[in-house]
Amino acid sequence: MHLVQILLPLYDNSGMPFPRNEYTRVRDVLAEKFGGITTYVRSPAEGIWKETPTMTVRDDIVIYEVMTEVLDRDWWRDYRKKLAGRFRQDMLIVRVSEVEIL
């Protein structure tokens, strides 16, 4: 089983919030395709990383995750590119982990 997580920013690079319907749209697509979704949206997570040795960048994010037996890498690669465009991101993180259901 694979756990796929999408990290979506709450704001664009100028600090403007993205419309709520963008998140609903992502949720609906994933729920329909994978039969369910878990969203972490009530208390946004904080991402911090070094853009350069002297510049630290901070992002408030929400996390969407789905589980799937078959990992269709091409579909995920295409979907990540679409989301990166919609959320105006140079790099949008979609990560996958193998999980064992106990």
Side-chain angles (χ1 to χ4, degrees), residues 13-58:
N13 291 332
S14 67
M16 295 297 297
F18 291 106
R20 184 167 178 80
N21 68 324
E22 287 295 336
Y23 302 97
T24 302
R25 191 169 154 196
V26 173
R27 182 201 65 202
D28 292 349
V29 165
L30 295 174
E32 177 67 26
K33 180 160 182 69
F34 297 99
I37 182 171
T38 301
T39 59
Y40 299 94
V41 296
R42 288 206 182 264
S43 180
E46 180 181 59
I48 298 176
W49 66 96
K50 287 282 197 181
E51 188 82 8
T52 68
T54 59
M55 184 170 98
T56 301
V57 178
R58 179 186 167 280

